């Protein structure tokens, strides 16, 4: 498989550090609001990357964080008169619900910044010891950017150009920096903010340090893939590299993958511009599988413009595939039993070319746009090569092939079957029993399973309530 590496600006053969295993970190959202469909793009794209790698036989350790301490979270908490943890926990649950709706698999680990403070203190300490960081008078700890000689290697920026550009950006409160390029690792608390004790001051971490630390803890010092939206290349990922490599003395991530923006009217969809749709907004109009299909209909490094027309096109594309699969499913029920004919076997053999082409597209830097076109070709082949007297075995072979390719993309070739109320109640009971037995892993598994079917649980004092999402 070839992957375009932002670090080298080239497509490179993917060679994992450990054969058969992939260590992958994807920067996750700051949880102070419902996620918008721009945030959903990296989730869908890198989930598809993971699924494809798993399909190729890799064991993927996939880590994606929740940034749960941040100015925006604190602001919202103050507005609502609650603790910041209430806000972040609420939106983590909402985000997980959206992910399940979009068929984004839960990460192997979803660490939260506030639970990883010890690791951050440790890494900052190391950076100070090694002369890569310093403590200002007010207790702020800064990373000494110029001490890391390779700074700028990811964003392909030259330190001196940055220096000139950044001087004018110097804002008040940052005057204790030795160099305008230095960035915050730890900052003192302000009135009414959550804080942790540290050797330097009571305060909280800067944003960049959390990803360096969580990546190290859950994946090790050296990882295969680090990914996120292209707005994270600079400064976030550049700073992560500086921190991790300066602290660990090893290359951080071998491959850096960045998705292009989801735009509206050719402008980046973002909360600050106010030009966004939440995943929930879209869900009111469409099956979220349509959103996933829409996202994958473009290559992840191409900007994608959101429009009603493209969503309608995605809807009808998905329907076309689903209709073909439903037809095969229906015909199969009344078809001849027994072995497929020699002619049918030849067609099944011929159809294998589509799977090969699909793999070729995905191997070429995850070209999902081409891969979906190949699924359409296979559907066309299937539609024009089925007759009244086909055997069930043949019809099943075609159906399985389409379903498998769709599945790699996280797309359901047949609409989800709803759970019956009684089945839901039974699973909830099983979850309660698991919790009583302190088998929290099983309890979480059941919660996730229900979420996947669109069932949201709420633990209240009166017991567990559920609703269809
Ligand atoms: P944030 O919560 O803003 O840090 O964003 C979480 C993830 O969503 C990051 O990987 C961002 O790069 C990505 N992201 C945010 N807006 C967009 C957008 N309009 N298109 C694509 N990715 C985005
Ligand atoms: Zn990050």
């Amino acid at each position: 498989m070839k992957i375009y590496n932002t670090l080298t600006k080239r497509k490179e053969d993917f060679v994992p550090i450990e054969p058969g295993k992939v260590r992958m970190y994807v920067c996750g959202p700051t949880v102070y609001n419902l996620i918008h469909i721009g945030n959903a793009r990296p989730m869908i794209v890198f989930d598809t990357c993971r699924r494809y790698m798993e399909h190729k036989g890799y064991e993927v350790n996939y880590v994606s964080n929740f940034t749960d301490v941040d100015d925006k979270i604190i602001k919202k908490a103050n507005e609502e008169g609650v603790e910041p943890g209430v806000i972040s926990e609420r939106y983590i649950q909402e985000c997980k619900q959206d992910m399940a709706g979009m068929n984004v698999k839960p990460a192997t680990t979803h660490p939260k910044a506030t639970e990883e403070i010890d690791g951050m203190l440790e890494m900052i300490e190391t950076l100070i010891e090694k002369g890569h960081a310093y403590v200002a008078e007010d207790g702020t700890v800064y990373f000494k950017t110029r001490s890391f000689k390779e700074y700028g290697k990811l964003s392909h920026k030259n330190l001196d150009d940055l220096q000139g550009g950044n001087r004018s950006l110097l804002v008040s409160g940052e005057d204790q920096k030795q160099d305008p390029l230095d960035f915050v690792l730890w900052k003192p608390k302000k009135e009414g903010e959550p804080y942790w004790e540290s050797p330097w001051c009571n305060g909280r971490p800067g944003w960049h340090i959390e990803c360096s630390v969580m990546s190290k803890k859950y994946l090790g010092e050296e990882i295969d893939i680090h990914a996120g939206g292209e707005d994270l290349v600079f400064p976030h990922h550049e700073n992560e590299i500086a921190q991790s490599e300066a602290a660990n003395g090893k290359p951080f991530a071998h491959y850096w993958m960045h998705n292009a923006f989801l735009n509206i009217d050719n402008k980046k969809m973002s909360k600050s511009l106010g030009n966004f749709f939440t995943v929930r907004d879209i869900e009111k109009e469409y099956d979220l599988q349509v959103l996933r299909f829409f996202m994958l209909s473009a290559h992840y490094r191409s900007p994608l413009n959101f429009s009603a027309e493209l969503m309608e096109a995605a809807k009808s594309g998905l329907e076309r595939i689903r209709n073909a699969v439903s037809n095969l499913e229906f015909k199969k029920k009344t078809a001849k039993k027994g072995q497929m004919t020699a002619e049918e076997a030849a067609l099944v053999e011929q159809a294998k070319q589509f799977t090969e082409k699909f793999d070729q597209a995905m191997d070429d830097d995850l070209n999902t746009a081409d891969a979906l076109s190949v699924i359409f070709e296979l559907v066309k082949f299937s539609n024009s090569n089925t007759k009244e007297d086909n055997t069930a075995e043949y019809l099943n072979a075609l159906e399985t092939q389409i379903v498998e390719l769709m599945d790699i993309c996280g797309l359901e070739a047949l609409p989800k079957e709803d759970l019956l109320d009684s089945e839901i109640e039974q699973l909830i009971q099983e979850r309660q029993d698991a919790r009583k037995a302190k088998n929290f892993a099983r309890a979480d598994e059941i919660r996730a399973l229900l979420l996947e079917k669109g069932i949201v649980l709420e633990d209240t004092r009166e017991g567990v309530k559920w609703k269809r999402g």
Side-chain angles (χ1 to χ4, degrees):
M1 182 178 188
K2 280 194 185 322
I3 287 179
Y4 180 88
N5 190 352
T6 309
L7 199 59
T8 56
K9 291 182 155 177
R10 277 191 286 115
K11 279 188 202 171
E12 293 173 0
D13 281 324
F14 177 70
V15 183
I17 296 167
E18 208 179 320
K21 296 200 172 163
V22 180
R23 306 175 201 163
M24 181 164 182
Y25 187 97
V26 182
C27 291
T30 307
V31 278
Y32 66 101
N33 224 325
L34 291 174
I35 58 162
H36 62 69
I37 57 175
N39 302 134
R41 190 171 188 192
M43 288 178 183
I44 291 174
V45 159
F46 298 118
D47 175 65
T48 306
C49 183
R50 169 196 189 168
R51 285 169 182 268
Y52 182 62
M53 289 180 143
E54 284 173 346
H55 159 76
K56 285 174 88 78
Y58 288 111
E59 189 186 306
V60 183
N61 189 348
Y62 191 98
V63 176
S64 190
N65 65 303
F66 286 116
T67 298
D68 64 344
V69 57
D70 166 88
D71 290 343
K72 298 186 205 92
I73 299 173
I74 297 167
K75 181 164 173 269
K76 184 137 187 165
N78 288 340
E79 281 164 11
E80 289 193 21
V82 295
E83 291 297 317
V86 173
I87 302 293
S88 56
E89 206 41 52
R90 180 196 305 158
Y91 290 109
I92 286 173
Q93 292 312 326
E94 299 287 15
C95 179
K96 286 188 175 171
Q97 186 181 331
D98 287 339
M99 284 169 58
M102 297 184 295
N103 218 9
V104 170
K105 293 213 280 186
T108 316
T109 315
H110 278 292
K112 296 175 204 163
T114 55
E115 291 173 4
E116 308 292 342
I117 302 289
D118 285 350
M120 299 188 214
L121 296 178
E122 211 175 289
M123 190 177 279
I124 297 171
E125 191 86 65
T126 306
L127 288 169
I128 296 173
E129 274 167 23
K130 291 193 170 180
H132 288 292
Y134 59 93
V135 191
E137 236 166 72
D138 66 352
T140 306
V141 187
Y142 290 104
F143 186 89
K144 203 188 260 186
T145 300
R146 280 186 185 277
S147 75
F148 182 67
K149 293 289 168 258
E150 292 174 275
Y151 193 85
K153 68 177 171 181
L154 180 72
S155 50
H156 307 280
K157 287 181 195 291
N158 180 301
L159 266 180
D160 293 316
D161 294 346
L162 283 173
Q163 175 89 353
N166 260 29
R167 237 180 241 290
S168 56
L169 294 178
L170 205 60
V171 290
S172 64
E174 295 207 333
D175 48 355
Q176 297 187 5
K177 278 187 187 184
Q178 292 174 0
D179 184 321
L181 285 178
D182 297 346
F183 58 89
V184 171
L185 298 173
W186 187 264
K187 56 187 167 193
K189 73 170 181 128
K190 292 199 203 105
E191 201 45 45
E193 283 187 358
Y195 67 90
W196 290 263
E197 287 175 4
S198 84
W200 319 293
C201 63
N202 288 344
R204 60 184 166 103
W207 169 38
H208 315 298
I209 193 74
E210 70 177 74
C211 289
S212 283
V213 167
M214 295 190 251
S215 176
K216 176 174 177 169
K217 175 161 170 192
Y218 296 98
L219 298 170
E221 292 179 341
E222 204 167 340
I223 72 169
D224 293 300
I225 301 174
H226 196 116
E230 67 182 8
D231 52 339
L232 300 187
V233 174
F234 186 85
H236 185 53
H237 287 163
E238 196 70 72
N239 291 355
E240 279 188 43
I241 292 179
Q243 297 164 154
S244 295
E245 299 193 355
N248 305 329
K250 286 193 183 147
F252 179 29
H254 290 196
Y255 303 87
W256 287 85
M257 296 176 80
H258 293 101
N259 63 276
F261 291 143
L262 178 76
N263 293 331
I264 284 199
D265 297 327
N266 300 313
K267 273 202 211 78
K268 180 193 172 191
M269 182 179 286
S270 75
K271 294 228 173 87
S272 53
L273 289 176
N275 59 349
F276 64 89
F277 290 106
T278 62
V279 171
R280 285 314 146 81
D281 292 333
I282 300 302
E283 201 175 16
K284 286 187 200 127
E285 303 276 328
Y286 295 97
D287 173 349
L288 288 180
Q289 284 275 297
V290 174
L291 180 67
R292 186 164 181 127
F293 195 95
F294 159 77
M295 294 284 185
L296 297 181
S297 64
H299 185 263
Y300 75 95
R301 284 190 294 112
S302 305
L304 176 58
N305 214 31
F306 180 79
S307 70
E309 292 77 45
L310 284 179
M311 282 297 284
E312 285 303 315
K315 186 177 170 192
S316 59
L318 184 62
E319 269 168 13
R320 188 139 47 99
I321 298 168
R322 284 183 168 174
N323 283 341
V325 174
S326 302
N327 278 338
L328 289 166
E329 184 68 23
F330 180 75
K331 282 189 189 146
K332 222 165 69 176
K333 292 203 174 106
T334 52
K336 281 192 298 196
K337 302 276 177 290
Q339 264 199 335
M340 65 175 94
T341 64
E343 190 195 347
E344 286 175 335
L347 286 168
V348 168
E349 204 47 42
Q350 208 183 322
K352 284 191 182 149
Q353 62 169 305
F354 298 108
T355 295
E356 279 163 25
K357 272 175 81 176
F358 177 93
D359 285 351
Q360 274 164 17
M362 296 293 266
D363 279 341
D364 182 14
D365 189 31
L366 205 76
N367 194 335
T368 55
D370 283 1
L372 290 188
S373 306
V374 176
I375 299 181
F376 282 126
E377 284 177 42
L378 172 60
V379 162
K380 205 167 145 202
F381 178 90
S382 161
N383 288 343
S384 49
N385 287 294
T386 40
K387 317 183 289 234
E388 288 308 310
D389 60 346
N390 283 130
T391 62
E393 193 186 22
Y394 170 72
L395 297 167
N396 190 53
L398 289 179
E399 182 185 341
T400 307
Q401 194 181 357
I402 302 172
V403 169
E404 274 176 8
L405 298 187
M406 289 285 277
D407 190 50
I408 294 168
C409 299
L411 293 165
E412 283 141 7
L414 288 166
K416 276 186 206 168
E417 277 174 40
D418 279 344
L419 285 177
L420 298 173
D421 285 8
S422 59
E423 290 169 324
I424 297 167
E425 303 285 356
Q426 204 180 332
L427 280 165
I428 291 177
Q429 189 52 51
E430 201 190 318
R431 175 170 169 265
Q432 296 296 77
D433 294 343
R435 287 171 116 195
K436 256 189 224 139
K438 300 222 177 323
N439 184 354
F440 297 112
R442 176 64 189 151
D444 282 351
E445 209 174 276
I446 295 171
R447 188 189 191 103
L449 191 113
L450 286 165
L451 205 52
E452 222 169 83
K453 299 275 182 190
I455 312 298
V456 187
L457 301 187
E458 192 194 346
D459 292 306
T460 69
R461 244 179 247 157
E462 294 85 51
V464 184
K465 287 192 181 148
W466 63 269
K467 61 174 194 249
R468 291 184 197 272

